[in-house]
């Protein structure tokens, strides 16, 4: 340490003895620069040396500081890159989802067709979006995809307005979509698909399918109301000429034409006698609801005491023109009962044939139906009641078999209004009316059943999703074809989309990367 200090002191003294003048350019004019000829003075270098000597410790700190700055800048750059990559990934996910929704909802020709796959393209694309894309995203993101699918379906169905054919198209697709999701996530033994890792997420998937069912219910109600207003309601207000009324089959033909119009609106392809890819049970479900409402309307109109009575309810009692009824208002006799039975029989046969009602499928849908599918429950009961010997009505078991849809209060109203004719010249025995009246009194004390009042109330629209049995066959066929060959879906992208955006758009490439994996 002593040697180092002495050397440092000597060097410092020598440097102090050395006179270093400023640059000649800045030397005062009174001083001659000739005395410095031959001297190589490098002021900056010597000063740098001095600085280096005296700043050894500072350089280490400076180097450390520079290294820290460089490290921080690298960390900041890495963070920025990571954020950008995450942002790009998020944007790609959004683009991919937008592309899938665009393909499924907005590039589709919304019309019925003989091909199952053409009709159910939206269901194919949306199920692929939820299932295949779900493999690459988090559970929360998959839930977001589910919500966006539901929102898109609500929006596209609202855009249909009162176009029944388009509404039925989307209704059929949503049912198939829900069934595919249920089968995929709800069956651990599925051999067609390798998505068993999602089984633990079944509660979340069940929320998705539940939301889909709500959309189905809303569409169903809109279709029922649209068919009622467009095809059936106008005939309750029709004005017919006396010449038309003289035709014995006028009422039968009038309503058969109305049912045919409803059929054309629901499925124009099947109405022409061709096969259609939409679920066949849907048209029947709608028509059953509308026929049930018409059944109540006609029943109430017939039970009016006079054709001059004003209808009291626009839903359950809307018929203003009594000439559209199969039998005259207030004409409750054996003969009118036979005439009513003929009309109901003709309508029922036409409906059964036209809507391909399968008895077994109907039983599985509602579980409470008999082996025979019946239409016009109230009118059927009324026709039977008018023709059966009235003394048999006292027996509760027979009454339940003959007219199960008619309450005691309405039964009393019918019996008291019954008119003898050539087919049944005897009036209703007083003992029968008294017995029924006693039962009515007892029942009124213990029951608040609305079906006993007049006019008979129209039933509420209740949506019961078609059973899996009615949709499983179509869905399984699609699962086998589409899930084993994702190129089927991607191959169809070029058709409708390329015409206005180009199939090579980035979002479709991103979509293909996932769907083809």
């Amino acid at each position: 340490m002593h040697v180092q200090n002495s050397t440092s002191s000597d060097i410092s003294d020598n440097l102090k003895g050395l006179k270093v003048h400023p640059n000649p350019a800045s030397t005062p004019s009174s001083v001659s620069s000739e005395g410095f000829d031959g001297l190589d003075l490098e002021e900056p270098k010597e000063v740098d040396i001095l600085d280096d000597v005296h700043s050894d410790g500072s350089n280490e700190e400076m180097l450390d500081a520079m290294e820290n700055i460089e490290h921080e800048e690298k960390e900041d750059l890495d963070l920025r890159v990571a954020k950008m990559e995450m942002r790009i990934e998020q944007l790609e996910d959004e683009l991919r989802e937008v592309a899938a929704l665009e393909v499924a909802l907005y590039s589709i020709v919304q019309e019925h067709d003989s091909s199952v796959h053409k009709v159910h393209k939206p269901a194919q694309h949306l199920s692929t979006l939820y299932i295949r894309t779900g493999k690459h995203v988090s559970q929360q993101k998959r839930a977001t995809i589910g919500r966006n699918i539901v929102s898109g379906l609500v929006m596209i169905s609202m855009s249909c307005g009162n176009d029944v054919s388009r509404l039925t198209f989307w209704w059929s697709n949503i049912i198939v979509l829900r069934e595919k999701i249920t089968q995929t996530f709800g069956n651990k033994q599925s051999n067609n698909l390798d998505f068993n890792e999602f089984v633990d997420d079944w509660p979340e998937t069940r929320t998705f399918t539940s939301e889909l069912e709500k959309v189905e219910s809303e569409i169903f109600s809109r279709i029922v109301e649209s068919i009622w207003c467009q095809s059936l309601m106008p005939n309750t207000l029709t004005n017919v000429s006396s010449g038309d009324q003289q035709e014995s089959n006028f009422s039968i033909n009038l309503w058969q034409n109305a049912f045919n119009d409803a059929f054309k609106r629901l499925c124009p392809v099947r109405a022409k006698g061709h096969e259609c890819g939409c679920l066949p049970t849907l048209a029947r479900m709608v028509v059953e609801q509308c026929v049930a409402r018409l059944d109540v309307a006609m029943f109430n109109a017939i039970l009016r005491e006079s054709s001059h009575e004003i209808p009291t309810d626009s839903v359950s009692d809307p018929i203003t023109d009594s000439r559209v009824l199969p039998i005259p208002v207030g004409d409750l006799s054996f003969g009118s009962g036979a005439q009513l039975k003929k009309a109901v029989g003709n309508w029922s046969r036409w409906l059964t044939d036209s809507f391909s009602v399968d008895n077994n499928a109907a039983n599985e849908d509602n579980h409470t139906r008999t082996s025979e599918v019946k239409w016009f429950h109230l009118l059927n009961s009324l026709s039977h009641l008018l023709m059966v010997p009235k003394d048999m009505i006292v027996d509760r078991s027979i009454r339940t078999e003959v007219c199960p849809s008619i309450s005691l209060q309405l039964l009393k109203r019918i019996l008291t209004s019954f008119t003898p004719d050539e087919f049944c010249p005897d009036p209703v025995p007083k003992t029968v009316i008294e017995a029924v009246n006693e039962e009515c009194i007892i029942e009124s004390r213990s029951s608040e059943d609305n079906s006993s009042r007049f006019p008979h109330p129209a039933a509420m629209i209740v949506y019961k999703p078609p059973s899996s049995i009615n949709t499983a066959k179509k869905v399984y066929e699609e699962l086998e074809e589409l899930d084993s060959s994702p190129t089927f879906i991607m191959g169809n992208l070029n058709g409708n989309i390329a015409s206005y955006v180009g199939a090579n758009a980035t979002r479709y490439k991103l979509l293909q990367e996932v769907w083809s994996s």
Side-chain angles (χ1 to χ4, degrees):
M1 292 295 291
H2 178 73
V3 174
Q4 291 176 347
N5 291 338
S6 175
T7 302
S8 176
S9 178
D10 292 340
I11 293 174
S12 179
D13 290 340
N14 291 334
L15 289 174
K16 289 178 180 179
L18 179 62
K19 295 182 179 179
V20 181
H21 293 276
N23 192 312
S26 59
T27 303
S29 58
S30 59
V31 179
S32 174
S33 60
E34 295 178 356
F36 297 98
D37 291 341
L39 288 179
D40 186 13
L41 300 179
E42 297 181 359
E43 178 185 1
K45 181 176 180 180
E46 291 170 347
V47 173
D48 289 340
I49 293 174
L50 182 61
D51 291 341
D52 289 340
V53 173
H54 287 286
S55 61
D56 285 342
S58 300
N59 280 345
E60 292 181 3
E61 293 178 0
M62 184 179 295
L63 289 174
D64 290 341
M66 291 178 65
E67 289 179 359
N68 289 336
I69 292 173
E70 184 177 351
H71 181 69
E72 289 176 359
E73 288 179 347
K74 186 176 183 303
E75 285 187 342
D76 183 63
L77 180 61
D78 290 343
L79 181 60
R80 288 173 179 270
V81 171
K83 287 182 177 180
M84 290 179 65
E85 290 177 346
M86 183 180 299
R87 182 59 176 163
I88 291 173
E89 185 178 350
Q90 291 174 346
L91 291 174
E92 287 183 346
D93 285 342
E94 291 180 9
L95 280 174
R96 189 180 295 114
E97 186 177 339
V98 167
L101 291 174
E102 184 178 1
V103 168
L105 300 177
Y106 308 114
S107 65
I108 295 295
V109 179
Q110 303 172 37
E111 61 184 22
H112 293 243
D113 191 275
S114 59
S115 169
V116 173
H117 301 302
K118 285 185 179 179
V119 172
H120 292 127
K121 274 185 181 179
Q124 297 161 12
H125 296 327
L126 292 174
S127 62
T128 301
L129 169 63
Y130 188 83
I131 296 171
R132 289 186 181 276
T133 308
K135 294 196 301 181
H136 301 270
V137 299
S138 64
Q139 178 178 333
Q140 182 179 1
K141 176 60 179 175
R142 190 164 62 254
T144 300
I145 292 175
R147 285 193 294 270
N148 289 340
I149 289 175
V150 171
S151 298
L153 289 169
V154 170
M155 182 180 299
I156 200 71
S157 65
M158 292 299 291
S159 70
C160 295
N162 293 323
D163 187 331
V164 173
S165 176
R166 290 173 61 199
L167 286 170
T168 306
F169 173 91
W170 288 109
W171 180 24
S172 186
N173 269 279
I174 297 172
I175 292 174
V176 170
L177 169 62
R178 177 172 54 81
E179 196 65 30
K180 288 186 70 172
I181 297 299
T182 299
Q183 290 175 11
T184 300
F185 289 86
N187 185 4
K188 295 183 179 181
Q189 305 302 322
S190 174
N191 296 321
N192 294 327
L193 301 167
D194 186 20
F195 298 123
N196 292 330
E197 67 268 28
F198 290 140
V199 172
D200 292 339
D201 297 335
W202 172 237
E204 288 71 22
T205 303
R206 186 164 53 201
T207 300
F208 175 46
T209 56
S210 176
E211 291 300 314
L212 289 176
E213 190 173 309
K214 290 179 183 178
V215 181
E216 294 172 39
S217 179
E218 174 62 26
I219 292 177
F220 174 70
S221 297
R222 287 173 57 196
I223 293 175
V224 170
E225 291 293 347
S226 296
I227 289 294
W228 176 254
C229 294
Q230 295 170 12
S231 300
L232 301 181
M233 187 68 175
N235 290 312
T236 67
L237 309 172
T238 188
N239 291 315
V240 296
S241 66
S242 58
D244 292 333
Q245 179 61 22
Q246 290 174 359
E247 297 179 12
S248 59
N249 294 327
F250 168 75
S251 178
I252 294 176
N253 294 334
L254 175 72
W255 292 107
Q256 189 167 310
N257 290 334
F259 300 144
N260 189 47
D261 180 72
F263 197 4
K264 291 178 181 178
R265 295 177 188 275
L266 287 164
C267 182
V269 174
R270 281 203 180 88
K272 293 179 180 178
H274 306 299
E275 285 295 321
C276 184
C278 69
L279 297 175
T281 189
L282 304 187
R284 174 181 60 80
M285 292 170 62
V286 173
V287 171
E288 279 188 337
Q289 292 278 330
C290 291
V291 168
R293 184 178 287 188
L294 181 62
D295 184 34
V296 172
M298 287 189 173
F299 180 78
N300 288 331
I302 292 172
L303 291 190
R304 291 186 195 138
E305 295 179 355
S306 169
S307 59
H308 299 293
E309 276 190 69
I310 300 175
T312 58
D313 190 296
S314 61
V315 177
S316 62
D317 188 24
I319 296 178
T320 59
D321 191 337
S322 61
R323 292 173 292 180
V324 304
L325 297 172
I327 61 175
V329 174
D331 182 10
L332 303 179
S333 63
F334 187 99
S336 65
Q339 187 177 345
L340 180 59
K341 184 176 179 62
K342 174 188 173 183
V344 170
N346 284 332
W347 291 331
S348 297
R349 283 189 294 273
W350 188 91
L351 289 167
T352 299
D353 293 340
S354 298
F355 292 96
S356 303
V357 177
D358 181 80
N359 292 338
N360 293 327
N363 292 335
E364 289 158 356
D365 270 353
N366 295 295
H367 304 289
T368 57
R369 299 186 183 186
T370 61
S371 58
E372 180 186 0
V373 176
K374 291 184 177 180
W375 306 81
F376 297 98
H377 297 281
L378 284 170
L379 294 184
N380 256 315
S381 292
L382 178 58
S383 66
H384 295 160
L385 179 59
L386 293 177
M387 292 190 295
V388 75
K390 304 305 179 284
D391 54 355
M392 298 176 62
I393 300 301
V394 178
D395 189 319
R396 183 186 294 270
S397 61
I398 295 177
R399 188 169 67 232
T400 302
E401 182 180 351
V402 171
C403 51
S405 302
I406 298 179
S407 66
L408 280 171
Q409 290 289 346
L410 293 177
L411 174 62
K412 177 184 174 182
R413 182 188 182 98
I414 294 168
L415 293 177
T416 55
S417 302
F418 183 80
T419 304
D421 62 4
E422 57 181 321
F423 302 103
C424 181
D426 299 324
V428 178
K430 289 185 178 180
T431 54
V432 173
I433 296 178
E434 290 174 357
V436 171
N437 187 48
E438 288 180 4
E439 285 193 58
C440 286
I441 295 173
I442 296 173
E443 184 185 66
S444 62
R445 293 172 180 173
S446 58
S447 175
E448 297 181 358
D449 188 0
N450 289 332
S451 64
S452 297
R453 63 182 178 86
F454 183 82
H456 193 284
M460 298 290 292
I461 298 176
V462 178
Y463 179 64
K464 295 180 180 179
S467 66
S468 296
I469 296 175
N470 287 330
T471 59
K473 184 177 180 181
K474 289 183 181 292
V475 175
Y476 278 129
E477 289 174 358
E478 291 172 0
L479 282 172
E480 291 174 0
E481 271 194 43
L482 301 177
D483 292 317
S484 62
S485 179
T487 55
F488 175 85
I489 295 177
M490 297 311 301
N492 283 300
L493 291 183
N494 297 334
N496 296 326
I497 299 172
S499 60
Y500 65 95
V501 296
N504 293 324
T506 302
R507 59 186 182 276
Y508 300 115
K509 290 182 178 179
L510 293 171
L511 187 61
Q512 188 167 10
E513 290 175 4
V514 175
W515 283 6
S516 299
S517 61

